[in-house]
Amino acid sequence: MTTAATVSDPLLAPLPEPQQYLIDIVADAVIATRAWPVFQYVEAKMDDAGFDANAVMSSMPVISRGQLAYSLIRRTSMLSPDTRIELTVAGMAHAPMLGPTVEMFLAVLAELRSRRVTAGYDPLRVIEVVVSGPQLVSELGLADHPHASLLPSILQGEPSTWHGAGHSDGNSWEHQPSTWLRRFANVAGVDDYLARIRAFVMPDLPAMEPFVASPLSLAAAFDFLDVVWRLEFKERLVTLPSAERLTKLAFDANTAEEFDSRLSGLGEMLKGLRVPGNPDDGVLVRLDAFLTGHLSSEGIARVRVGLKKLQLVTRIRNAAQHAGAATSAAKALPAFGLTYPVTDFSAAWRTVQAHAVEALEAIRDEVSSRSRIVV
C-alpha cells in the first residue's frame, strides 16, 4: 500500500465510493465469467446502488493530452448496451482480486520488449517481428491463467502495447512489438509503469524561470496561502520564525553567504508550517498526506509538483551547509534551470524565489478550489 512518504501516481490514489463501486462491479464480473461485462450489466448494477454509471465513468482520473486519454477504464466515445467495459492496468490495480492479471500483463510486456530487442535483424532487409499470442502464453507458463483470454484486449487498450496489437479471432492472436516498448524496459511495478506512461503522454517542459513581480512576492505567497488555509481548515498554517528571516526573503543575494541566508530563511518558513500529522515526518510529507485526504486526484497531482519544487529548495539549502549534500544539490539545481556550482547568486536566488512562489500559489489555488475537494 502507498504511504504518505511514498509518491504514487495519482491514478492509484484511493477512489471515491462511486468510482470504486464501479471498478468492483467490473472486477467481480471478470472473476465470475473470465470476460469483460457489457455496459448494460454495469449500468444496471450502478443504478441499483443509486449511481449514474456514465457520470461516474466520466469523473474517473485521467492522464490526457490532445486526443489521447488514459484512465481506469478503457475510454470509448460511444457507449451502447453491448459495449464491453474494460479496465486498464491502472483500473485493475484498484481491484486486489485482479492482481495476478496485472502481473500477467507486466510479464508479457517484458517478454514482448525482449523479443523486439533480440530479434534476428538483417542490415540489408526489413525483418517483421511477429509474436504468436498462444505460443507466447504457453512459453511463459500462462496457459492455465484464468484471464489469459483477456490478453488481446488488454494489450490493445494499453498505450505501451496498442501500437503492436494485431489480429485476434478469439482462439489465436498476434502481436508485433513496436519500438515504443523501449520506454517500458525493466518496469518495476504498476506505479513505475504509470510513471512511464505519464512521462511520454505528459512530458515535463524545460525548466523556465518564472517571473517574480515584486521582491515581496515570496512573503505575499506565504501570506495568501495562510489566509486561504484558515478559511478552508479553520487553522493557521504559517508561523513566523522571526520578522528578520521573513524580511530577508525580500532582499537580493549577491554573495554565497547571502544566498545561503536567503535559502535558510525560506527553509525556516517551510519548517514552521503547522501541518497535522506525525511530527517525525517532514513538513512536506505531512502536507502531502493531509491534502491527499482533501483534494481530488488531479488537485493533489498539481500540489505534488509544487511540493517537489519545495523539496528541491531544501536540498539546495542543505548543500550550502553540509559538504556531503553537494551531490544532491548538483542534481536539484537543473530542475530550476541552474547549474552547479552556482556563480551568479543574484540570478539563482531570483529563480529559486520564483519557483517557490509558483509552488505556494499552486497549493493555495487547489486548497481554495472547493469544487475539487473530495467529500
Side-chain angles (χ1 to χ4, degrees):
M1 179 177 292
T2 300
T3 65
T6 301
V7 177
S8 181
D9 192 275
L11 291 190
L12 299 180
L15 300 174
E17 180 187 359
Q19 295 179 5
Q20 186 63 56
Y21 194 79
L22 192 151
I23 294 290
D24 291 341
I25 289 173
V26 178
D28 288 342
V30 169
I31 294 298
T33 67
R34 302 188 179 186
W36 300 115
V38 296
F39 178 63
Q40 183 188 54
Y41 173 84
V42 174
E43 185 177 40
K45 288 285 188 179
M46 293 292 285
D47 284 345
D48 188 49
F51 300 128
D52 182 330
N54 268 303
V56 173
M57 291 175 65
S58 297
S59 71
M60 294 281 189
V62 62
I63 301 172
S64 65
R65 184 179 68 179
Q67 298 299 312
L68 176 59
Y70 180 81
S71 185
L72 307 184
I73 290 178
R74 186 175 175 185
R75 297 200 164 204
T76 180
S77 56
M78 297 293 293
L79 283 175
S80 59
D82 61 348
T83 299
R84 296 286 178 173
I85 303 302
E86 304 177 8
L87 299 181
T88 64
V89 167
M92 287 187 281
H94 287 276
M97 65 188 74
L98 295 181
T101 308
V102 173
E103 293 175 3
M104 174 184 67
F105 167 77
L106 294 178
V108 169
L109 177 67
E111 183 62 20
L112 288 173
R113 179 189 175 273
S114 176
R115 297 197 180 192
R116 165 81 187 183
V117 172
T118 60
Y121 294 104
D122 189 314
L124 300 180
R125 63 189 182 91
V126 174
I127 299 298
E128 187 177 38
V129 183
V130 180
V131 177
S132 165
Q135 182 180 355
L136 175 66
V137 168
S138 176
E139 292 175 357
L140 290 178
L142 299 171
D144 294 329
H145 194 290
H147 300 147
S149 62
L150 297 180
L151 267 174
S153 66
I154 296 174
L155 294 173
Q156 189 176 15
E158 292 298 313
S160 57
T161 51
W162 62 32
H163 287 281
H167 173 73
S168 174
D169 62 9
N171 296 317
S172 66
W173 54 276
E174 296 177 342
H175 194 90
Q176 294 180 273
S178 77
T179 186
W180 282 56
L181 290 172
R182 71 181 183 278
R183 303 174 183 270
F184 298 90
N186 305 314
V187 170
V190 176
D191 207 349
D192 184 26
Y193 173 72
L194 294 179
R196 312 285 185 98
I197 292 178
R198 195 174 289 276
F200 75 80
V201 173
M202 304 173 64
D204 292 334
L205 296 175
M208 298 180 64
E209 181 178 342
F211 174 70
V212 180
S214 160
L216 299 177
S217 292
L218 186 51
F222 275 109
D223 191 32
F224 294 160
L225 173 58
D226 186 57
V227 170
V228 168
W229 190 278
R230 279 185 286 163
L231 287 173
E232 302 299 341
F233 301 120
K234 314 307 178 186
E235 298 285 347
R236 293 209 65 158
L237 174 68
V238 179
T239 59
L240 299 181
S242 71
E244 178 188 11
R245 285 198 178 276
L246 179 62
T247 302
K248 283 183 177 180
L249 295 182
F251 292 166
D252 202 353
N254 296 307
T255 66
E257 291 74 18
E258 290 178 350
F259 185 53
D260 177 34
S261 177
R262 306 298 178 264
L263 290 174
S264 294
L266 178 53
E268 289 299 319
M269 289 294 296
L270 294 173
K271 286 177 62 178
L273 296 180
R274 299 172 57 184
V275 184
N278 187 345
D280 293 334
D281 292 332
V283 66
L284 298 181
V285 172
R286 299 202 307 274
L287 194 55
D288 183 306
F290 179 79
L291 291 178
T292 296
H294 292 82
L295 301 180
S296 67
S297 57
E298 292 84 357
I300 194 62
R302 185 186 177 206
V303 164
R304 282 176 176 158
V305 172
L307 292 178
K308 182 178 180 180
K309 289 185 177 182
L310 296 178
Q311 184 63 51
L312 292 174
V313 169
T314 64
R315 292 182 187 177
I316 297 171
R317 172 202 176 224
N318 291 341
Q321 300 181 348
H322 307 288
T327 300
S328 181
K331 294 179 179 179
L333 286 167
F336 293 159
L338 302 172
T339 58
Y340 183 86
V342 174
T343 55
D344 187 340
F345 297 102
S346 178
W349 170 236
R350 289 197 303 270
T351 299
V352 170
Q353 184 184 28
H355 280 285
V357 169
E358 191 175 60
L360 294 170
E361 288 178 344
I363 297 170
R364 181 197 69 201
D365 289 347
E366 294 305 324
V367 169
S368 65
S369 298
R370 296 305 291 169
S371 61
R372 301 178 70 175
I373 300 296
V374 177
V375 294

